[in-house]
Amino acid sequence: MVVLKFVTNITLDGTHMTIWKYLMGSVLSILKRKPKPIISIIGTTGVGKSDLGVYLAETFNGEIINADSMQMYKGLPEITNKQPMDERHGVVHHVMNHVNWNEEYHIHRFQQECFKAIKRIHKKGKIPILVGGTHYYLQSVLFLNKTIDSGENFDKINGKSLTDEQKGMLNKGSPEQLHSLLAKYDPVVAMKFHPHDIRRIKRALEIYYRTGKTANQYYLDQQKQQKSHSRLRYNTLFLWVYSKRNTLEPRLDKRVDKMMNSGALDELTELYDYYCSLSEPKPKMDQGCFQVIGFKEFMPYMASHPKHILLDTPKEEIMKDELFTECCNQMKLRTRQYAKRQVKWIKNTLIPDLSSEAKHNWCHFGKVYVVDATDLSIWAKSVKQRAQIIVGQFLKIKSVNSSVSQVPESLKDESLFRDKKEAFDRSKWVYHTCDTCLDKDGKAMVFVGDQYQIHLKSKKHRRAVNKGKRKKEYESWLAKQAPQKDQNSVDKMKAQS
């Protein structure tokens, strides 16, 4: 501290002051008492995250904290993929199965409950193990300033609550209305979000309503803070349970089939009955427990098959139903799409974000180690054994030996790690509409940034272009036939006369 007092008497210009702040931030991060350890198990659905969490909790005296947004809700064990009680082996699970169906579970509530659970687990001398793939939940807990608080905690900090008019707009406004409003208050961020990305749009609007400050400004402030100190709250180890896509997708399809044979349809029917009992206007499909994969997809089947009919119909007959099969295929498709998004977030957001921890000498660790869950026949060796070695070293020396590779040899060709994010090009942060391709509501499809160029090269767009071209050619041919048909009619009448 003597050194600090001495150097602060020196007058520095702007450039040197910036350098000084960066250096002091790094020094203070190192000198500051290292936070307690936490393990985060990430990855797609269907790779065994829950099994690994239980195994590590048994091995290293830990407790599980659920970070899956759907497993917070009571019941529905099959469609939310909750770990069966007999497979938990007595390991305590926190933040799970405690939210009523009539409640919408928000990120700020998860933060509060998760922080309390972590504190309790640490107080008992145990290791908190976060298990789940809802990425914005993980970000809110593990990173400082990664997301902005909302709800009660947000009110206390800023002393400003939402007006009834603002609440009404956020709850009942259409995607188009909300996006137009965001474009008025925060045009930079409005150009970043797709008009149907309703969750993010609401989030950005709430930030502005509560603080008078745009989300864009908050993000810029966070980037500045990232340069001066570690953004991790805890001494964090990330374990990424990964399976190659060509193996994972058939596995996910079989998992859906297994769910249907194990009571998933009964759960969906129960949830549908509850949904129908609610007064108008009904909750949206992107709210609360109704977001669960399978509910929206099976709506057509449940609407045409009342509960009493399903109860009297043999399961074998249900499985052969054409509409049931179609709904099941839609559920499989959405499950695969969700898994793809989970991988994309880890590769394109989490890992590049964590690379900045190197500037702070990995003082809060923050490295990601991958375990290979592609071949389930060797899961014990490729996942459990490798994870045990990594976690054992992390807890013992607060690091992992350099001899242990972050990516196993079996996954070297998967290109899982990117060193850092590409510099953001604001010129690409613009909207494009494709009048050739229409969405489910018959409106022109909207794309943000590079997604438009990707769309133009897609099979879907090419099919739509060819279809439109054929339609125009047919209409042109039809128009030419009309005068000829009329002339033929005139000639025929003359001949008859």
Side-chain angles (χ1 to χ4, degrees), residues 44-45 248 252 334-343:
T44 67
T45 184
L248 176 64
L252 294 177
R334 191 174 167 205
T335 302
R336 295 194 300 270
Q337 290 172 337
Y338 180 56
K340 189 176 179 180
R341 289 197 303 273
Q342 288 174 308
V343 171

Side-chain angles (χ1 to χ4, degrees), residues 344-361:
K344 185 177 178 181
W345 172 74
I346 296 171
K347 289 174 66 173
N348 298 343
T349 300
L350 178 65
I351 291 174
D353 276 354
L354 289 170
S355 66
S356 64
E357 294 300 309
K359 299 176 183 176
H360 314 298
N361 200 31

Side-chain angles (χ1 to χ4, degrees), residues 209-256:
Y209 283 153
R210 293 183 182 276
T211 69
K213 193 174 182 180
T214 65
N216 180 54
Q217 188 57 53
Y218 269 106
Y219 300 147
L220 292 174
D221 291 345
Q222 288 174 6
Q223 289 175 4
K224 291 177 183 177
Q225 293 175 15
Q226 179 181 345
K227 295 178 182 178
S228 60
H229 56 77
S230 170
R231 293 186 303 151
L232 289 170
R233 294 181 193 272
Y234 306 99
N235 194 37
T236 310
L237 166 67
F238 292 90
L239 287 174
W240 181 5
V241 188
Y242 180 84
S243 173
K244 293 179 180 179
R245 187 175 173 183
N246 60 351
T247 301
L248 176 64
E249 292 193 340
R251 188 189 302 170
L252 294 177
D253 288 349
K254 289 179 182 178
R255 187 179 186 181
V256 171

Side-chain angles (χ1 to χ4, degrees), residues 257-308:
D257 291 333
K258 183 181 177 182
M259 288 166 62
M260 288 299 144
N261 281 306
S262 302
L265 185 58
D266 294 336
E267 292 178 5
L268 288 169
T269 303
E270 184 182 1
L271 188 60
Y272 177 73
D273 286 347
Y274 172 74
Y275 179 83
C276 292
S277 71
L278 298 174
S279 58
E280 297 290 347
K282 303 288 188 189
K284 298 177 182 177
M285 294 296 109
D286 62 350
Q287 293 179 337
C289 58
F290 305 112
Q291 301 173 73
V292 66
I293 294 177
F295 184 66
K296 180 180 178 181
E297 289 69 29
F298 268 87
M299 272 286 221
Y301 184 79
M302 292 182 292
S304 60
H305 293 73
K307 186 176 181 179
H308 67 276

Side-chain angles (χ1 to χ4, degrees), residues 33 42 70 77 91 108-109 128 149 153 156 162 201 218 222 266 278 307 345 363 375 396 415 424 428 465 483 487 495:
R33 183 181 176 185
I42 57 177
M70 292 295 99
V91 172
H108 74 276
R109 180 174 170 184
D149 289 334
N153 193 41
K156 291 176 183 177
L162 296 174
I201 291 172
Y218 269 106
Q222 288 174 6
D266 294 336
L278 298 174
K307 186 176 181 179
W345 172 74
C363 61
D375 187 347
K396 185 176 182 179
S415 302
F424 181 67
K428 296 180 180 179
V465 169
Q487 184 60 47

